[in-house]
Amino acid sequence: MLELTMATVSGADEGATAGMLMADAPSEPGAVLRVGRDRGVCRLATPQDWLFVSRVHLEFVCGADGGWQVTWLRGSQPDPSSEVRLTVGEYAQPLGYGATVPLPRGGNGELVIQDRTGPHTVNVGFYHEV
């Protein structure tokens, strides 16, 4: 099972977890969880006016072996208006625009979507249960 939590943070609200959203999916091949502005497609949706987040920004997909991966989907613009950082334990790395990385089995971490033009972030925590 993959469990996701999402908190949106704006400027003075830093550190607040009010309004935290959660979603999960079984670790079955083809299972998908999405994060973005489009509530019709994404299990975790950000505010509609947060345009630094794409309609579908992050996509978590379960592979044939039960392992999960996350992709920062390319949007309609050639250059993104956000940055995405993946943290697992003490290890942090930027996630490239259009890039896919595997999530650790039995591990947890966080993806942070940072607005390049303002004090907004979307924090997506994950826990991959084995």
Side-chain angles (χ1 to χ4, degrees):
M1 171 153 323
L2 182 68
E3 298 174 350
L4 300 178
T5 58
M6 183 185 80
T8 55
V9 182
S10 178
D13 296 335
E14 194 165 332
T17 56
M20 183 175 284
L21 302 173
M22 294 184 277
D24 60 27
S27 292
E28 297 172 352
V32 177
L33 288 170
R34 294 181 183 96
V35 177
R37 291 190 341 262
D38 187 339
R39 294 184 187 283
V41 179
C42 300
R43 291 276 303 275
L44 296 175
T46 64
Q48 288 291 323
D49 61 344
W50 284 26
L51 300 180
F52 69 97
V53 177
S54 301
R55 284 185 57 250
V56 181
H57 203 88
L58 299 175
E59 183 174 69
F60 296 82
V61 177
C62 186
D65 63 352
W68 286 85
Q69 64 183 25
V70 61
T71 300
W72 179 5
L73 298 174
R74 294 186 72 84
S76 59
Q77 302 299 317
D79 294 315
S81 55
S82 63
E83 297 174 354
V84 177
R85 183 177 64 254
L86 170 65
T87 303
V88 177
E90 294 183 21
Y91 181 72
Q93 72 178 51
L95 182 60
Y97 191 43
T100 301
V101 296
L103 299 179
R105 287 181 180 268
N108 61 41
E110 181 178 53
L111 289 128
V112 177
I113 304 169
Q114 174 71 52
D115 183 355
R116 288 185 172 171
T117 62
H120 302 97
T121 61
V122 178
N123 299 352
V124 180
F126 66 85
Y127 175 66
H128 183 193
E129 196 177 280
V130 287

